[in-house]
Amino acid sequence: MPTTATFRIWRGNAQGGKFEDYATPVSEGMVVLDAVHQIQADQANDLAVRWNCKAGKCGSCSAEVNGQPRLMCMTRLNQLNLDEPVTVEPMRAFPSIKDLVTDVSWNFRVKKGIRPFKPRPPDAPDGTWRMQQADVERVQEFRKCIECFLCQDVCHVLRDHKQFDGFVGPRFLTYAAALEMHPLDEERRARELKTTHGIGYCNITKCCTKVCPESITITDNAIIPLKERVVDELYDPTVKLLRFFRRK
Amino acid sequence: MAEYETHEYEVLVIGAGGAGLRAAIEAAAAGVSVGLICKSLLGKAHTVMAEGGIAAALSNVDDRDNWKVHFTDTMRGGQYVNNWRMAELHAKEAPDRVRELEAWGALFDRTDDGRILQRNFGGHRYPRLAHVGDRTGLEMIRTLQDHGIHKGMAVHMECTVVTLLKDGPRVAGAFAYERERGRFKVFRAKAVILATGGVGRAFKITSNSWEGTGDGHSLAYHAGAELMDMEFVQFHPTGMVWPPSVRGLLVTEAVRGEGGVLKNSTGRRFMFDDIPDLYRAQTADNEDEGFRYTQGDTNARRPPELLTRDHVARCIMREVKAGRGSPHGGVFLDISWIKARLPNAEEHIRKKLPSMYHQFKQLADIDITKEPMEIGPTTHYIMGGVRVDGESQMSTVPGLFAAGECAAGINGANRLGGNSLSDLLVFGKRAGEYSAKFAREQKPPAIDARQVDDAAKRAVEPFERSAGNEGPFQVQFALQELMQDLVGIVRSEAEMRRALAGLEALKQRADRAGVAGHREFNTGWHAALDLRHLLTVSEAITRSALERKESRGGHFREDYPDKDPAAGTFNIVVRKNRDGGMDVVRTPIPPMPAALKAIIDEYK
Ligand code: SF4
Ligand code: SF4
Ligand code: FES
């Protein structure tokens, strides 16, 4: 490993900006976020960056490193070519606030629009429920989500086609799947999934799954079963009948 | 005149980790208007880092467990200087708070008969921690967040409170800035709940994120509230030590709960060498019994690796100092050895400790199913905090409440693992409930324009100083270095006197630290404003630690290495005096009711 490396960091705000090069000492074990912090402490006090846990658990430090959507705190420098400048830029699907910080507030609004958890009545007189480990595990996969929004960043429906009004994005399809497949949940979300949540926009490119730092199989385990559910619940009775016979 | 926007709520909650969210949910449910301020984005608070579980005597796994045993364990762990009323309420109410999370959608790991599974943890007599693998904190915060956003609270994300506002003796609200544009906000509220978490950023090696700068402690102190037990800082025995960039990052106690053992460089399981008398009867005296305990054998006693955190941390320090440490200045924590005992051990480890597996693999190139980890103590938690009434969580300032890590009392001299998440829920709920009640009985307070102007003026000062001056980060690093070296795991009078002098000098450096640029999302500016909080809590910790001339729980003094029974009768309280200096007073612990005493005698 070289002793210094150059980081080409995007500096700017909603009005615009440009890349600036910073050379900083590097050592074994460092991650991109360390380098950014070092630059912030020594050369650019006002460099804006989000982070909290430094352990890939809070989903704050999302950015694009050499063009790849990554958590900066989990991107080791030894995975990068340090002979060239390492580019670090904000998630491009969201509006810029400053430097590496983007306006992700849309995600929080979207979540509020999804019908919340509604459990069936308790199973036991003491007000508790019984669930099998195997049944909760399926949903636990989705609940690992750290809301880094990297999947939203990479999804072409949002990134390229800007369907922010008609599509909730892979993160919130996963969220809806977690609710729909929750062993206790009784709410019905199929109609909204089809209409306001825009599940039909997803054409299963699987880009979201590829970038998920929590290795959630977003498309295969969440979106596809959810699409099937929407079809099952919403399509007209003849289709339902057909399916019924086909299954026989 | 300062420019700012104004928001009004009946209850204002500062901090949106477990305690703040739970408090906001409760206050909203009581029908008052609620504002919730988070320093980061919603759902990113330090609670997400909690791994092990939520301690609650559900007795799903071992029916010998009940609130009395939990209460006794908590008091013993806290070395009997806890607020016993809080320890009692906590033990009694934790099970309901956990079940409530399930009703709100949390999905805990299950027992074979479909109930909430509970695991062993240090200092808890029976398997007691409800958990989700090793990401329980994430499950808890997400459940509270997803439930809370539908309850009508107004959330202010990326907003930092600089000072509390007062109306005579009572709290009147808060003065804050939002990070995005750096604009000021004034919150007027009848009641304010502090739920700001810890102070770990006052130390160099810490598991805490940038947010843990003791804001709530310091805001309360400067508003005239009392801080208690500030000498009791918990150094978690197992933080990562390598690579340097992740030094301090937490390695969950669940690793030891699942059978992980501590070894020194000679391969010795050194924890067997020093078992305190208080715990001897409950601790295994051989490796086999210890392992059986971790695998759920209810007749076995726990291995010494699961002794209280303060003790394990000091044993590790002892090994390192004696030259028996690992290459990077820690010791070895090995879970891979269970291969010798369990079929499918590798898969079992990955399943039980997924985020630990992930963390070591990605950050240190270590496969924990195959090789030992290198670990050492890290600053993790502060038992001390705002002194509150045990029932209502109100501080000595009318209308000012505190819950969670920034409040004192439940944990005494040392916190048991798992008692934090349950603390957040139990006392978050209580703070929400009682603050709403308080707010309903009060008229709106008046906002004093002078206080606001002063706060605004002080807040922009760093920009007026020459940016050529030393930057705020350098001052912060110096403070962390000083506290780590002089007021860390092992303390002494002489070193702490030096620390006080050092803090005085750092105050002056902080007053000169300049920042460049504008107010938009300027992290240098934010760091400059956090310095005041860090300096305040560092001074409180140091002065309290000087006053406690004994060793107890998280507080260890090499000049007073033993516990002094006489010192077990008081808590140390600090408050701001008229001249702006810090007064330190010993405050007697109220006598425990006979009924609680009898419980301790029965179960200890
Ligand atoms: S699979 Fe669907 S949700 Fe995922 S990136 Fe492709 S279009 Fe977007
Ligand atoms: S699903 Fe994965 S990529 Fe998307 S927000 Fe969650 S953790 Fe991030
Ligand atoms: S800082 Fe938390 S995920 Fe990177």
Side-chain angles (χ1 to χ4, degrees), chain A residues 16-54:
Chain A
K18 59 178 193 318
F19 283 102
E20 279 187 36
D21 284 0
Y22 300 91
T24 196
V26 293
S27 59
E28 212 192 338
M30 268 175 76
V31 293
V32 171
L33 185 63
D34 292 326
V36 170
H37 276 155
Q38 231 166 257
I39 291 161
Q40 183 189 58
D42 301 335
Q43 308 176 42
N45 272 194
D46 61 346
L47 169 60
V49 55
R50 283 194 181 108
W51 70 284
N52 282 64
C53 69
K54 272 202 75 179

Side-chain angles (χ1 to χ4, degrees), chain B residues 3-5 158-160 175-186 519-521 525:
Chain B
E3 254 184 64
Y4 54 85
E5 65 186 56
E158 299 196 310
C159 180
T160 306
F175 177 84
Y177 65 86
E178 45 93 19
R179 298 170 79 79
E180 183 174 336
R181 301 259 169 272
R183 281 182 298 226
F184 294 135
K185 290 185 173 192
V186 168
R519 271 157 63 180
E520 284 90 41
F521 220 111
W525 181 43

